[in-house]
Amino acid sequence: MRVTERRASGVPWAGVVVTVLSVLAMAAISRAVYDSLPELVTTRQPRPGRAGVQVPRIVLASAIPATTVLLGTLMIGVTMVAERVRRLVPPALAGSRGSAGLVLVLLPPFFVVLHGGLLFRTAGHDFPLEVSVTVALGLLIAGLGRARPLVDPLRFVPGVERARRFGGHALAAVGGCCVVGAFFLPPMFVSVAATFAAGAVFLLVVLVPLVRLRS
């Protein structure tokens, strides 16, 4: 009975565990390098007509962990609400329950890489920040290829499943190219290109079946 109640609650337990472990990892990194950080960290260099911005090191050490906690809490709440809505719709419109917390599993580790890279770089360590973040972004995009909607009103649109399979493979390809490209091309260019490509894939997965339905 307790197992059934836990499953019915809609809490993405895997995502909760990954989020907690990620926050603990970020806290450990912050503690390890905190004394090596400058008292004031420059987040924006001064330019003609624009003043620079500096923040206390405690802000840099806690901003991404706090953001992770906030986003994790919001996403857990949204997932639980969506699970309740899922019970109110016909079973034929219910999507995959297993992918509800997928983003919560994938996003916090990305934040760990970003947080650790920023702190190590600011503390003066020779850390490959751009390459590491680009690789993590590629893995994130590839993982999102397995995402499915919790409530699926497009399930009966002709061709939508084929479009989703293609979209999953396309996102995996985009993520893989992002990971490989990080080592051979400017990482910033690769990250921006992969982000736009992933957005285009998501749009095509939704729009192409709808356009075919109307034609």
Side-chain angles (χ1 to χ4, degrees):
M1 177 66 71
R2 291 181 179 178
V3 174
T4 303
E5 289 176 354
R6 287 184 179 180
R7 289 180 178 175
S9 67
V11 178
W13 291 108
V16 172
V17 172
V18 171
T19 301
V20 171
L21 292 177
S22 297
V23 172
L24 291 176
M26 286 186 278
I29 293 171
S30 296
R31 182 175 181 179
V33 303
Y34 189 80
D35 291 337
S36 300
L37 298 173
E39 291 288 341
L40 292 176
V41 179
T42 300
T43 58
R44 187 176 71 180
Q45 296 293 338
R47 295 182 179 178
R50 190 182 72 175
V53 176
Q54 291 183 317
V55 298
R57 59 183 175 179
I58 186 62
V59 174
L60 184 68
S62 61
I64 296 180
T67 301
T68 304
V69 172
L70 177 60
L71 288 178
T73 303
L74 290 175
M75 292 178 67
I76 291 170
V78 169
T79 302
M80 294 176 65
V81 171
E83 182 64 28
R84 294 182 180 274
V85 172
R86 188 178 186 273
R87 300 177 204 165
L88 301 178
V89 303
L93 297 181
S96 172
R97 177 182 276 114
S99 62
L102 180 62
V103 175
L104 200 58
V105 171
L106 296 172
L107 197 56
F110 172 78
F111 284 150
V112 172
V113 176
L114 179 61
H115 175 73
L118 286 174
L119 262 62
F120 283 127
R121 177 68 66 84
T122 305
H125 298 283
D126 187 17
F127 185 85
L129 174 61
E130 293 81 4
V131 173
S132 299
V133 171
T134 303
V135 170
L137 177 63
L139 296 176
L140 173 62
I141 292 173
L144 289 177
R146 298 180 59 84
R148 294 293 185 274
L150 191 66
V151 178
D152 193 2
L154 299 179
R155 171 169 290 187
F156 299 107
V157 175
V160 69
E161 286 302 323
R162 183 171 60 181
R164 284 176 180 158
R165 286 195 297 271
F166 170 80
H169 294 314
L171 286 176
V174 170
C177 290
C178 184
V179 171
V180 175
F183 298 98
F184 299 98
L185 297 172
M188 181 62 69
F189 169 78
V190 174
S191 297
V192 173
T195 301
F196 276 103
V201 170
F202 277 116
L203 286 177
L204 289 174
V205 167
V206 176
L207 294 179
V208 169
L210 292 178
V211 170
R212 289 182 177 179
L213 181 64
R214 295 185 59 182
S215 60

